């Protein structure tokens, strides 16, 4: 499975970005998809996930500011990020699999990620 993340960039505090996750095949339609982020020197953390049926969950650090959703027209799983803060600066990754794989971050491969920088 080839995962591609896009949409990152530089944004001022309080701004918004929309990230997109695309994948080869139909895995985004049949599996749980999650967004993660990683800051250099820290562990990668899961921040949002969406099940095949649309159930979502969020880390406390992003709850109320980030929204994960499927864009069926583009066949992607997107992450809408509002009210971004400097602490949100990280490389953002997505991946898809079973709930166990999502939780354990147990995947055969990862995409390149997309850099999000929040700075004035």
């Amino acid at each position: 499975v080839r995962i591609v993340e896009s949409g990152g960039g530089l944004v001022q505090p309080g701004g918004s970005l929309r990230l997109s996750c695309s994948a080869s095949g139909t895995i985004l339609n049949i599996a749980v998809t999650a967004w993660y982020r990683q800051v250099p020197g820290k562990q990668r953390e899961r921040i949002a996930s969406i099940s095949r049926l649309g159930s979502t969950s969020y880390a406390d650090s992003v709850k109320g500011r980030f929204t994960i959703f499927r864009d069926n027209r583009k066949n992607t799983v997107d992450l809408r990020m509002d009210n971004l803060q400097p602490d949100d600066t990280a490389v953002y990754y997505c991946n898809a699999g079973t709930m166990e794989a999502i939780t354990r971050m147990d995947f055969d491969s990862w995409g390149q990620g997309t850099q999000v920088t929040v700075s004035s």
Side-chain angles (χ1 to χ4, degrees), residues 4-111:
V4 178
E5 303 92 347
S6 63
L10 173 63
V11 63
Q12 292 186 342
S16 298
L17 281 175
R18 176 173 169 174
L19 307 183
S20 285
C21 173
S22 62
S24 57
T26 60
I27 191 168
L28 295 185
N29 295 324
I30 63 174
V32 182
T33 303
W35 279 94
Y36 303 82
R37 66 186 181 187
Q38 188 168 23
V39 176
K42 293 188 176 181
Q43 285 191 331
R44 191 168 299 184
E45 62 168 336
R46 177 164 54 106
I47 56 172
S49 64
I50 185 167
S51 72
R52 180 175 63 87
L53 298 180
S55 297
T56 59
S57 67
Y58 299 92
D60 288 344
S61 57
V62 306
K63 197 172 295 182
R65 301 187 297 123
F66 291 12
T67 304
I68 187 171
F69 61 99
R70 299 184 185 280
D71 188 324
N72 294 324
R73 181 177 59 86
K74 298 190 306 178
N75 195 27
T76 60
V77 173
D78 290 3
L79 185 69
R80 171 75 182 186
M81 307 186 295
D82 295 315
N83 191 21
L84 283 160
Q85 301 300 318
D87 283 350
D88 296 315
T89 296
V91 179
Y92 284 70
Y93 301 88
C94 69
N95 224 314
T98 63
M99 195 63 229
E100 181 177 6
I102 292 290
T103 302
R104 295 185 176 185
M105 290 188 275
D106 181 15
F107 304 105
D108 290 336
S109 63
W110 290 86

Side-chain angles (χ1 to χ4, degrees), residues 107-119:
F107 304 105
D108 290 336
S109 63
W110 290 86
Q112 293 293 316
T114 186
Q115 174 72 48
V116 172
T117 302
V118 185
S119 175

